[in-house]
Amino acid sequence: MLGASAALGDHLARHPLDWHALVMYEPRDLHPGVEEFEHGLDDGTDPVALRVAYRRCLLSIAARDVCGTTDLAQTAAELADLATATLRAALAIASAAAPDDAALCRLAVIAMGKCGGHELNYISDVDVIFVGEAVDGADEGKALRAATKLAAHMMRICSETTVEGSIWPVDANLRPEGRNGPLVRTLASHLAYYQRWAKTWEFQALLKARAVAGDLALGRAYVDALEPLVWKAAERENFVTDVQKMRRRVIENIPAAEIDRELKLAPGGLRDVEFAVQLLQLVHGRADTSLRSGTTLVALEALAAGGYVGREDAGRLDDAYRFLRTMEHRIQLYRLRRTHLVPVEEADQRRLGRSMGLRTDPVTELNREWKRHATVVRRLHEKLFYRPLLDAVAQLASGETRLSPQAARERLVALGYVDPAAALRHIEALASGVSRKAAIQRTLLPVLLGWFADSADPDAGLLNFRKVSDALGKTPWYLRLLRDEGAAAENLARVLSAGRLAPTSSCAPPKRSPCSATATAAAASNPAIARTWNRRYSPRSAAPTAPSRRSPSPAASAAANSSVRPPSTSSAPTAPRPSPSRRTRAPSSTGSAAPSPTSPPRPWPAHCARSSARAGATPSPPASPSSAWAASAATSWATAPTRTSCSCTNPARVSPSGRPPRPPTRSSPRCGGCSRSPVRIRRC
């Protein structure tokens, strides 16, 4: 213990007789509770004596911790019980100093945060909320003022620095309205605030509320009155979004110079585990009362037992949380200072590593284990909420538990899906089976579900993704692109969530052309992908096979003619004339005039049908036309590069009208047939 804590060594130097607390371990000493700690604090009749008695009790807890007699969970619970006994002793000192005030009111102290959850650190803010009521016959206003004086005095007793130092700060900022609100409220006032004005994070904080000191009957009435509101918080609009924004806000407030050493708040830290567990508790604890625990490790175990979290993931998260909390305890224990930063000096890291049992190469082993566990937490924090949705519909091994359909629907509703039953059917259709395609979908869907949930219409996004996957799932490049290119997958998710018409140009592309939505997403993520895309999937390879130039089919000629010629005034239905593009040239006054409205349109060269598509019209394919093909063709050609030359090099070629070809011009160097096209030529 002396090697792990210089602060407790200094305490023994000032109070040598306190070493008797370490003489022996009796069975009753192994797991002391609140009563044992209250007995140990009997000598604390004033603030200084209370600090001495507190450190004496802390000696025994630290000795059992560093010697391995108790594990992390038991150590944190003992620290919370010692804090409970200390708050009771401090309130007794404050009441003894103002007996008239104590006679006017009933005051209950509600522990929040880690103290309320039985998982306290060696040095941490003890978060509390005060509830006051007038005794029978007393004026409520006077009673609340008296209760406020008692509460403020109790906080000073614990927080102020004396010759024996301080115990820990008592923080009441989690109360309604925070620093701007009254320190003590009545039970009715608390209830009215949480029913009308409380924010999502305030219900999340109430998960760990526990009556610890003062009038315990009033404290239990407070917890019982607010408990139904806590488990309805998941029904609030934008619940999941609010919790995730709260987590991002915490990360953004970390100073840049400390984020690499932050053990609690940084990505992959302790707060990631706590936020993920609390989020799942609030969603599924409405129907499953076994999840209603304020202790993180107990709640994580219950989530795994209920099938809300995979057992393997829960085990890795449990190991990582225990390791990170043990690091936090050892860092704070050395000087008994409130900090969550890993020390920079090699000597401090060596001491820290050896105190955790790493003896061969303490510094290297400590940093390696720390980074490994932080990586596990960072990965599972994102996966934990979405991945079990797949297990609800997947085939599991014998003895394994999975998310029930009702629990899966609750989670989807919390994410913002309007029709959770349909969403589950889509997930089952995409992820069920043992094929490689299903395995990749099971890897992609947890992340995609989150991106869909961030959009305006999650249901449309998931439905459209299923449509595109059904159409393109057997192609060799589709799932591979989404798996390997994160930006492409995210952009596709955003496009598909835009509405029901978003996947129209993606579901049935030509044989060799990838879907345009994925192409756009990949090109947007990397310029190199855009260049490769244009080379491989240019319109010349994406377009349907054109008929021979020497024998154009009537269907192709008619399709090309209808796409560029003005409509006839005859009664036969004709396609509307497309608007000219930005580079459209007006017909030359010296060139051939357009046919009269009453004359039949002259057939256009079939091999120039693709050039007409550059003007904005979509040519029909020669056989079995598809509206999806037309949409994808228009999208692909609209974004493809262009050329100003033509591959028709035969100078003797004549147009179908029988006229000789026009002389080569700047816009049409060689091809007489294409010289009539009013757009830039890409290829005949």
Side-chain angles (χ1 to χ4, degrees), residues 31 36 43 46 134 223 243 245 263 336 347 467 517 523 653:
H31 302 295
E36 288 78 10
D43 297 338
D46 60 79
V223 174
V243 175
K245 284 182 179 178
L263 196 63
L336 287 182
K467 289 180 179 180
R653 182 169 179 80

Side-chain angles (χ1 to χ4, degrees), residues 104-128:
L104 284 175
C105 64
R106 301 167 58 199
L107 179 64
V109 182
I110 311 298
M112 308 286 284
K114 284 185 168 60
C115 183
H118 260 96
E119 49 185 8
L120 195 62
N121 299 332
Y122 278 100
I123 294 294
S124 176
D125 289 351
V126 174
D127 298 309
V128 297

Side-chain angles (χ1 to χ4, degrees), residues 346-573:
E346 184 175 352
D348 293 332
Q349 292 187 7
R350 180 178 181 275
R351 171 187 49 77
L352 178 60
R354 288 181 63 83
S355 70
M356 297 181 65
L358 307 175
R359 304 299 172 86
T360 305
D361 188 356
V363 177
T364 303
E365 293 179 10
L366 175 68
N367 284 282
R368 181 175 63 246
E369 289 298 304
W370 172 32
K371 298 303 180 184
R372 182 176 68 85
H373 286 295
T375 301
V376 169
V377 171
R378 191 181 303 116
R379 180 173 57 85
L380 293 181
H381 171 68
E382 299 296 335
K383 171 185 175 182
L384 197 61
F385 194 76
Y386 304 108
R387 188 59 186 234
L389 289 170
L390 306 181
D391 296 337
V393 295
Q395 193 71 26
L396 299 179
S398 176
E400 290 287 327
T401 57
R402 65 183 179 183
L403 203 64
S404 66
Q406 178 61 29
R409 283 193 292 271
E410 290 176 354
R411 192 172 301 187
L412 286 167
V413 170
L415 285 170
Y417 288 84
V418 178
D419 190 353
L424 280 178
R425 290 195 299 271
H426 299 326
I427 295 173
E428 182 176 10
L430 290 167
S432 60
V434 295
S435 64
R436 180 174 177 79
K437 180 179 74 172
I440 297 177
Q441 289 281 19
R442 286 193 290 269
T443 303
L444 292 171
L445 274 172
V447 182
L448 289 171
L449 288 173
W451 286 331
F452 293 147
D454 291 337
S455 68
D457 193 349
D459 298 84
L462 183 57
L463 172 62
N464 292 338
F465 179 72
R466 179 183 175 184
K467 289 180 179 180
V468 175
S469 296
D470 289 345
L472 304 178
K474 295 182 179 180
T475 58
W477 50 268
Y478 170 67
L479 291 176
R480 183 175 66 242
L481 176 66
L482 296 184
R483 181 193 62 192
D484 298 340
E485 297 291 340
E490 182 176 4
N491 289 341
L492 178 63
R494 297 184 186 281
V495 169
L496 295 180
S497 301
R500 73 177 76 180
L501 299 179
T504 302
S505 62
S506 308
C507 289
K511 184 175 181 180
R512 294 180 57 191
S513 173
C515 74
S516 57
T518 309
T520 305
S525 64
N526 193 331
I529 296 178
R531 292 192 294 270
T532 303
W533 196 274
N534 290 332
R535 287 197 302 269
R536 291 185 180 180
Y537 305 112
S538 59
R540 60 178 177 273
S541 60
T545 304
S548 171
R549 297 176 185 170
R550 298 184 179 180
S551 57
S553 66
S557 299
N561 179 72
S562 63
S563 63
V564 296
R565 289 296 185 181
S568 173
T569 56
S570 61
S571 60

Side-chain angles (χ1 to χ4, degrees), residues 25-274:
Y25 286 155
E26 295 291 342
R28 67 175 181 273
D29 297 329
L30 293 181
H31 302 295
V34 177
E35 294 181 1
E36 288 78 10
F37 288 124
E38 283 185 307
H39 178 70
L41 297 177
D42 284 342
D43 297 338
T45 55
D46 60 79
V48 175
L50 181 61
R51 280 156 175 72
V52 175
Y54 176 83
R55 294 291 175 90
R56 186 187 310 119
C57 293
L58 196 62
L59 275 171
S60 61
I61 296 177
R64 288 191 296 271
D65 179 20
V66 298
C67 293
T69 306
T70 56
D71 63 359
L72 169 74
Q74 182 61 36
T75 300
E78 290 180 9
L79 289 169
D81 288 339
L82 177 57
T84 298
T86 305
L87 289 172
R88 293 179 181 180
L91 184 58
I93 295 174
S95 299
D100 294 338
D101 290 336
L104 284 175
C105 64
R106 301 167 58 199
L107 179 64
V109 182
I110 311 298
M112 308 286 284
K114 284 185 168 60
C115 183
H118 260 96
E119 49 185 8
L120 195 62
N121 299 332
Y122 278 100
I123 294 294
S124 176
D125 289 351
V126 174
D127 298 309
V128 297
I129 287 179
F130 296 104
V131 185
E133 293 287 351
V135 298
D136 293 338
D139 178 72
E140 184 176 290
K142 292 181 179 179
L144 287 179
R145 287 191 291 272
T148 300
K149 293 178 183 179
L150 291 176
H153 191 188
M154 187 204 78
M155 294 174 65
R156 289 195 302 272
I157 291 172
C158 296
S159 304
E160 286 181 350
T161 301
T162 67
V163 293
E164 291 293 337
S166 65
I167 302 177
W168 19 247
V170 177
D171 188 353
N173 289 333
L174 291 180
R175 66 185 184 270
E177 299 182 73
R179 298 171 183 258
N180 298 324
L183 184 62
V184 181
R185 288 174 180 259
T186 63
L187 177 57
S189 177
H190 276 283
L191 193 59
Y193 174 84
Y194 284 105
Q195 287 175 339
R196 299 179 62 182
W197 296 295
K199 299 180 180 179
T200 299
W201 68 266
E202 295 179 274
F203 292 106
Q204 185 179 354
L206 286 173
L207 273 174
K208 299 179 181 293
R210 179 172 62 95
V212 293
D215 193 318
L216 295 182
L218 178 60
R220 284 191 290 268
Y222 171 88
V223 174
D224 293 341
L226 293 181
E227 186 177 20
L229 300 180
V230 172
W231 301 113
K232 291 181 180 179
E235 301 174 2
R236 296 165 61 94
E237 187 177 359
N238 299 324
F239 163 72
V240 174
T241 304
D242 290 343
V243 175
Q244 293 172 341
K245 284 182 179 178
M246 183 67 180
R247 177 67 188 117
R248 288 193 291 269
R249 193 178 303 118
V250 170
I251 295 175
E252 291 170 358
N253 290 332
I254 303 175
E258 298 178 357
I259 192 168
D260 292 334
R261 299 190 295 124
E262 178 64 54
L263 196 63
K264 176 181 179 181
L265 303 178
L270 293 165
R271 189 56 59 87
D272 275 349
V273 182
E274 295 164 358

